[in-house]
Amino acid sequence: MRRNLALLFMALGFGGYIAISSIAPVAGSSHTAAVMTIDGAIDLISSGFLGRGITTASDRGDEFLIINLDTPGGTLQDTRDIVELLLASPIPVIVYVSPSGARAASAGTFITSAAHVAAMAPTTNIGAASPVRSGGEDLPETIKGKIMEDTAALLRGIAGRRDRNSDALERTVLEATSYTAAEALELGVVEIVAEDMEDLLDQLDGRTVQLETGPTTLETKGVHVVTISKTLLERFLGVVANPDIAFLLLAVGGIGLLIEFLTPGLFGPGIIGLIALSLAFVVLGNMSVNWVGVGLILFAMVLFFIEAQ
């Protein structure tokens, strides 16, 4: 019992340290900014992480937030949610497509365009924002035109709000055009091409951006940059938030419970099944899924059990 309690207190202490270190500002420093990294596909987890980052930075008084972005794209609904967060942010948000070799493809184009300041590192690219199906296939012709026009209109609206080249951005949707960092700067898609974070901060100094509350001028000289990291739960979900893993957990959980029902008293399969099902529903709850399909899978497992009986 004492050993178990000690392990529990160690776990709570370690978790508390991680939580505090990820949100606590530096003592004695009032001139701070936040930086966070979003890489990989844009999904519900990315949207939640970015929303938490904006709230954290705003609540602790950071002057602005820098998002290091590297993404191949993501779901349209989660992209719209992120765009809404950026447009309504109470503090300036700078999206920096980095490091060199990174990209802001598809959903990344919308996110970069919605920032108060859009920046890219050399040898990065932005664009190719034409909507496709989740597996990468082209949309059916019956709805392709509607979704393309709807998506292009969204990007035109963002460009108008941020005073960027709407024609160049619209081509990323209608023609799947992609631009290098130099081309994006020349066309007015982004405002800054910076070698690294230090160069970015130098170019941001004195730049005025428009917030909902009015214009504000960025002061970056001597600013202390504080990193906002993902929580353990966000990291875990980022690893397992994959449709294949989710449905594998669902299948393992169903099989485990089926074995437990058929041979009561084993406990092992039942416990494993419950854990797998719990993890599956946590993962599915953080993904864009068709719950009718999930319900049919669960119904199939019930039928398997009835047939076995």
Side-chain angles (χ1 to χ4, degrees), residues 17 32 80 131 156 263 280:
Y17 169 76
T32 60
R80 285 182 175 272
R156 285 198 307 272
T263 54

Side-chain angles (χ1 to χ4, degrees), residues 116-117 191-192 203-209 216-219:
H116 295 93
V117 180
E191 292 80 48
I192 294 175
Q203 295 191 53
L204 286 173
D205 192 51
R207 186 179 293 270
T208 299
V209 299
T216 183
T217 301
L218 302 176
E219 297 179 6

Side-chain angles (χ1 to χ4, degrees), residues 7-79:
L7 290 173
L8 175 61
F9 286 130
M10 287 175 62
L12 290 174
F14 180 66
Y17 169 76
I18 292 176
I20 293 173
S21 64
S22 66
I23 64 173
V26 177
S29 176
S30 59
H31 188 35
T32 60
V35 63
M36 60 191 300
T37 298
I38 295 180
D39 52 12
I42 300 301
D43 52 21
L44 190 61
I45 299 168
S46 303
S47 176
F49 177 44
L50 189 142
R52 182 174 68 82
I54 292 176
T55 301
T56 299
S58 177
D59 289 347
R60 71 186 181 190
D62 292 333
E63 297 176 22
F64 56 89
L65 169 66
I66 298 175
I67 301 173
N68 289 316
L69 181 66
D70 180 11
T71 178
T75 65
L76 184 57
Q77 183 56 55
D78 294 320
T79 302

Side-chain angles (χ1 to χ4, degrees), residues 31-296:
H31 188 35
T32 60
V35 63
M36 60 191 300
T37 298
I38 295 180
D39 52 12
I42 300 301
D43 52 21
L44 190 61
I45 299 168
S46 303
S47 176
F49 177 44
L50 189 142
R52 182 174 68 82
I54 292 176
T55 301
T56 299
S58 177
D59 289 347
R60 71 186 181 190
D62 292 333
E63 297 176 22
F64 56 89
L65 169 66
I66 298 175
I67 301 173
N68 289 316
L69 181 66
D70 180 11
T71 178
T75 65
L76 184 57
Q77 183 56 55
D78 294 320
T79 302
R80 285 182 175 272
D81 292 341
I82 291 177
V83 166
E84 290 178 7
L85 290 170
L86 293 174
L87 294 178
S89 174
I91 61 173
V93 178
I94 297 92
V95 170
Y96 180 36
V97 184
S98 65
S100 292
R103 56 181 169 169
S106 191
T109 306
F110 293 82
I111 295 171
T112 306
S113 301
H116 295 93
V117 180
M120 298 176 69
T123 325
T124 57
N125 62 278
I126 183 172
S130 300
V132 294
R133 300 180 70 175
S134 58
E137 307 89 354
D138 288 335
L139 293 168
E141 290 298 327
T142 52
I143 63 171
K144 182 177 180 179
K146 293 182 179 181
I147 294 180
M148 292 280 280
E149 290 297 331
D150 179 68
T151 308
L154 172 63
L155 199 47
R156 285 198 307 272
I158 296 171
R161 180 78 171 270
R162 296 300 189 215
D163 195 24
R164 298 196 172 102
N165 189 333
S166 60
D167 291 335
L169 285 170
E170 187 179 37
R171 286 197 293 273
T172 66
V173 174
L174 300 180
E175 303 173 17
T177 306
S178 188
Y179 305 110
T180 65
E183 292 169 342
L185 181 64
E186 182 180 356
L187 290 169
V189 172
V190 301
E191 292 80 48
I192 294 175
V193 173
E195 293 285 344
D196 50 29
M197 184 63 68
E198 183 178 356
D199 185 21
L200 175 64
L201 291 174
D202 288 340
Q203 295 191 53
L204 286 173
D205 192 51
R207 186 179 293 270
T208 299
V209 299
Q210 185 69 35
L211 298 177
E212 293 289 333
T213 55
T216 183
T217 301
L218 302 176
E219 297 179 6
T220 64
K221 296 297 184 183
V223 70
H224 186 90
V225 178
V226 183
T227 300
I228 298 177
S229 303
K230 289 184 177 180
T231 63
L232 290 177
L233 177 59
E234 288 168 339
R235 293 176 185 175
F236 171 74
L237 291 175
V239 173
V240 301
N242 179 295
D244 296 332
I245 295 177
F247 287 107
L248 177 62
L249 289 170
L250 203 61
V252 170
I255 293 172
L257 291 182
L258 182 62
I259 293 174
E260 185 65 33
F261 286 139
L262 293 175
T263 54
L266 293 179
F267 296 110
I271 294 173
I272 294 174
L274 286 174
I275 294 174
L277 281 178
S278 299
L279 289 175
F281 283 115
V282 169
V283 173
L284 291 172
N286 286 275
M287 293 171 56
S288 298
V289 299
N290 187 327
W291 287 101
V292 175
V294 175
L296 288 172

